[in-house]
């Protein structure tokens, strides 16, 4: 029979750090965080249940769409969630943020990762 | 004055009250006064240290810090108990036994219960060797989720050897929270309270002689985990209540709504005297301290007694609140100490009359407005946060990290430089504090990269964990 799980190429990019981007092949039954761990790539995480946002990534493009002028690519097209993404508010979900601990890919895509992405979610309200 | 010795008895009875401790069998001290008189100067500190949320690929750890000025490794992290997983966010922790069990023969203050705030994993560390503690047991998150609880916070022992942990969320990181009980073999015993007593949870303290426990409120884990969002304040997602429990029954007897002036009531402390029903809670977001007490009718009441004013910052859009995130009461119940994390102050108030705290002194250090912005050439990246006081009330220590995602928001440099631990010398007779510029412990120099530092405990009891039965 062979492996029936569909796989997608997911490219991880660190916006702030001097780190090389990495592309990993991820099955539809695997989350990005699990696949990264399998490939020995350290991504930040905390709860692993979709509550804390520590693992937040930002979808940069999906299936080749979404870069530059084309607006924010739709997370719902690119990923299926295992459980509800509680740590993300509607405004975050609409602007491409994705919880990598519970998100399994449905397309080839590129995602910004690393702790600086999580820090974008909320600003200092007094500043 | 004394117990009259029975003539003819071979052993004379001890004469003074403070000598009665020689009879006690279990851990800790017989009275708060005994802790002050018999407790030795703190020579080691255990400090929660963390990498969660950063790109440093290392697990959180418990730092053992040398506080002995006579030692060659004074102000150094002399041991690190690394935990087996990443992603925990070590936060608050506690002992398996404290002075509340000083009557329990065979029980020792030996195991540290160290929960992961984000992971819901609970670690048990054997600290029989005070300088080289070892990880003994790990309770995995799945076991905790089975009780529909997550986000462990405050750890106190129950006077019979069991352990109670406040839990801030349900298994999904949503409300309600509750309390998880461990038995003396460090296995989950179950939920301590009948579910549904409270929605939100945070810190708690109990006064067994008065059969009362008090608990405070932060928010649902999914609300505070990602960072502080004003939208959540507007939507009423942050706590503003205090709950007074029947300690024996585990049921809420009374809830006090602190209202607008009491937003986000965090650390809650009863006086140490076991007879007392007075205590204090800091409302972080409203920047107020409330005094609570039981009145003659048996009801608890709460009143705002300290109010920290917002301050204007030339480069910030809105007046900056003080954000008093931690408070503690000295072992002699004379002073209330606290930290204003955003402004950058540590302060002490004389609470001899708890209804009318009198400002004794404060230090302006670190934070947004601190007069002192570096110690020994080391820039301070955040304000004073978790505080701990020596048993004799003469040395106040603090670290600078609040919560990794909140640090990122308010003091982004904290993640790059790491936390520090600082110290002030306190004169309890005069009511003054002085920054000890010779003292600095730097988490910026940890081998895996800069780490954050949070709660501090002494090996033999401290002002934020010991309770008397
Ligand atoms: S690790 Fe907590 S939301 Fe993903």
């Amino acid at each position: 029979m062979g492996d029936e799980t569909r796989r997608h190429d997911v490219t991880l990019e660190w916006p702030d750090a001097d780190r090389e981007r990495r592309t990993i092949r991820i099955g539809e039954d695997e989350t990005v965080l699990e696949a990264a761990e399998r490939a020995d790539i350290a991504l930040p995480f905390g709860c692993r249940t979709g509550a804390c946002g520590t693992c937040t990534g930002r979808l940069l493009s999906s299936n080749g769409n979404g870069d530059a002028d084309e607006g924010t690519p739709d997370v719902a097209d690119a990923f299926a969630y295992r459980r509800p993404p509680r740590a993300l508010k509607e405004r975050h979900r609409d602007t491409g943020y994705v919880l990598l601990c519970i998100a399994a890919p449905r397309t080839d895509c590129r995602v910004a990762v690393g702790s600086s992405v999580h820090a974008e979610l909320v600003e200092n309200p007094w500043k | 004055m004394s117990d009259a010795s029975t003539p003819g008895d071979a052993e004379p009875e001890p004469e003074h009250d403070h000598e009665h401790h020689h009879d006690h069998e279990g851990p800790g001290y017989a009275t708060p006064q005994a802790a002050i008189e018999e407790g030795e100067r703190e020579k080691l500190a255990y400090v929660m240290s963390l990498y969660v949320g950063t790109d440093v690929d290392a697990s959180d750890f418990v730092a053992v810090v040398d506080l002995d000025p006579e030692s060659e490794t004074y102000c150094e992290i002399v041991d690190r108990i690394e935990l087996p997983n990443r992603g925990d966010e070590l936060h608050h922790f506690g002992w398996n036994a404290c002075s509340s069990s000083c009557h329990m023969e065979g029980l020792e203050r030996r195991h540290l219960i160290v929960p992961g705030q984000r992971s819901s994993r609970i670690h048990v560390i054997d600290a029989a060797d005070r300088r080289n503690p070892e990880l003994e047991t790990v309770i995995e998150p799945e076991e905790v989720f089975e009780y529909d609880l997550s986000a462990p916070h405050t750890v106190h022992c129950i006077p019979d050897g069991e352990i109670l942990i406040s839990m801030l969320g349900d298994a999904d990181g949503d409300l309600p929270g509750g309390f998880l009980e461990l038995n003396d073999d460090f296995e989950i015993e179950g939920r301590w309270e009948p579910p549904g007593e409270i929605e939100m949870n945070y810190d708690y303290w109990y006064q067994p002689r008065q059969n009362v426990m008090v608990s405070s409120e932060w928010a649902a884990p999914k609300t505070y985990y990602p960072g502080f969002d004003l939208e959540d304040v507007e939507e009423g997602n942050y706590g503003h209540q205090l709950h007074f429990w029947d300690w024996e029954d585990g049921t809420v007897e009374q809830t006090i709504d602190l209202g607008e002036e009491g937003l986000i009531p965090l650390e809650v402390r009863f006086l140490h005297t076991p007879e007392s029903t007075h205590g204090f809670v800091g409302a972080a977001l409203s920047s107020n301290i409330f005094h609570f007490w039981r009145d003659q009718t048996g009801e608890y009441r709460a009143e705002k007694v300290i109010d920290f004013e917002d301050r204007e910052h030339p480069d910030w859009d809105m007046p900056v609140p003080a954000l008093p995130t931690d408070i503690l009461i000295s072992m002699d119940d004379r002073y209330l100490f606290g930290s204003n994390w955003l402004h950058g102050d540590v302060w002490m108030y004389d609470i001899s009359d708890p209804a009318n705290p009198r400002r004794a002194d404060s230090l302006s250090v670190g934070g947004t407005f601190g007069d002192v912005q570096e110690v020994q050439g080391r820039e301070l990246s955040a304000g004073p946060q978790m505080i701990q006081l020596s048993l004799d009330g003469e040395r106040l220590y603090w670290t600078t990290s609040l919560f990794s995602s909140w640090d990122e928001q308010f003091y982004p440099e904290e993640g790059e430089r790491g936390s520090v631990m600082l110290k002030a010398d306190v004169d309890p007779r005069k009511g003054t504090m002085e920054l000890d510029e010779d003292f600095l412990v730097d988490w910026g120099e940890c081998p895996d990269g800069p780490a954050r530092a949070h709660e501090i405990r002494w090996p033999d009891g401290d002002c934020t964990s010991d309770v008397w039965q």
Side-chain angles (χ1 to χ4, degrees), chain B residues 66-380:
Chain B
D66 188 337
L67 298 181
D68 181 1
E70 306 294 312
S71 162
E72 276 182 13
T73 48
Y74 182 50
C75 291
E76 287 177 24
I77 296 171
V78 289
D79 191 30
R80 296 184 303 143
I81 303 106
E82 290 184 38
L83 300 180
N85 294 275
R86 287 164 52 224
D88 285 317
E89 183 123 24
L90 300 190
H91 193 64
H92 288 227
F93 65 131
W95 286 102
N96 66 312
C98 79
S99 295
S100 69
S101 321
C102 72
H103 56 289
M104 287 282 290
E105 195 175 352
L107 205 59
E108 275 179 272
R109 188 182 338 240
R110 166 166 175 170
H111 289 94
L112 287 167
I113 317 300
V114 181
Q117 227 295 312
R118 273 180 213 266
S119 66
S120 301
R121 185 175 287 111
I122 300 169
H123 311 87
V124 180
I125 289 176
D126 183 349
D129 178 348
R130 295 307 207 210
R131 262 183 107 90
N132 296 291
E134 276 178 15
L135 181 65
E136 183 173 302
T137 318
V138 178
I139 300 173
E140 291 297 338
E142 295 68 32
E143 298 173 60
V144 173
F145 299 153
E146 271 180 40
Y147 297 86
D148 203 16
L149 291 170
S150 69
H153 194 273
T154 301
V155 178
H156 282 294
C157 57
I158 304 181
D160 61 4
E162 309 220 312
I163 291 142
L164 189 62
I165 308 175
S166 63
M167 308 290 293
L168 276 50
D170 69 7
D172 290 324
D174 218 324
L175 296 175
F179 290 87
L180 189 73
E181 189 174 339
L182 308 184
N183 64 25
D184 46 10
D185 288 325
F186 311 118
E187 295 154 344
I188 297 180
E189 182 89 1
R191 264 183 103 122
W192 175 75
E193 88 291 17
E197 288 292 299
I198 48 167
E199 272 285 286
M200 281 185 205
N201 205 358
Y202 180 69
D203 191 29
Y204 78 99
W205 193 287
Y206 65 98
Q207 200 67 314
R209 209 174 285 185
Q210 301 290 352
N211 191 34
V212 65
M213 175 175 108
V214 56
S215 68
S216 59
E217 298 190 330
W218 191 2
K222 67 162 192 188
T223 301
Y224 66 78
Y225 275 163
F228 173 73
D229 192 345
L230 268 190
E231 204 175 84
D232 286 313
V233 179
E234 281 147 25
E235 286 172 9
N237 294 338
Y238 279 104
H240 44 83
Q241 303 192 108
L242 281 186
H243 305 283
F244 293 89
W245 298 68
D246 182 312
W247 172 243
E248 291 270 312
D249 287 358
T251 51
V252 174
E253 296 260 280
Q254 196 192 336
T255 291
I256 297 182
D257 192 333
L258 303 174
E260 285 280 296
E261 302 255 65
L263 277 176
I264 318 191
L266 293 180
E267 264 51 46
V268 58
R269 321 284 185 200
F270 269 116
L271 297 197
H272 297 284
T273 309
E275 288 80 17
S276 181
T277 61
H278 290 267
F280 293 87
V281 62
L285 187 59
S286 310
S287 296
N288 294 320
I289 309 296
F290 281 76
H291 164 228
F292 57 82
W293 73 98
R294 190 162 61 204
D295 70 11
Q296 297 94 326
T297 68
E299 293 276 294
Y300 272 88
R301 296 177 58 191
E303 203 171 79
K304 184 182 81 171
V305 286
I306 304 175
D307 186 356
F308 295 104
E309 297 281 322
D310 295 355
R311 286 180 69 169
E312 298 279 349
H313 188 288
D315 304 326
W316 291 31
D317 293 342
M318 284 199 291
V320 188
L323 216 78
T325 43
D326 194 16
I327 59 168
L328 67 74
I329 295 172
S330 61
M331 204 48 101
D332 63 2
D333 291 339
R334 167 104 192 261
Y335 292 106
L336 180 74
F337 290 84
S339 58
N340 291 351
W341 187 62
L342 269 186
H343 282 186
D345 303 306
V346 285
W347 45 260
M348 65 188 283
Y349 276 73
D350 186 326
I351 51 165
S352 309
D353 173 6
N356 295 293
R358 190 183 56 77
R359 186 181 171 282
D361 201 1
S362 65
L363 271 178
S364 175
V365 51
T368 312
F369 301 96
D371 292 340
V372 176
Q373 284 292 348
E374 58 172 59
V375 171
Q376 297 176 25
R378 162 58 150 105
E379 269 182 74
L380 308 176

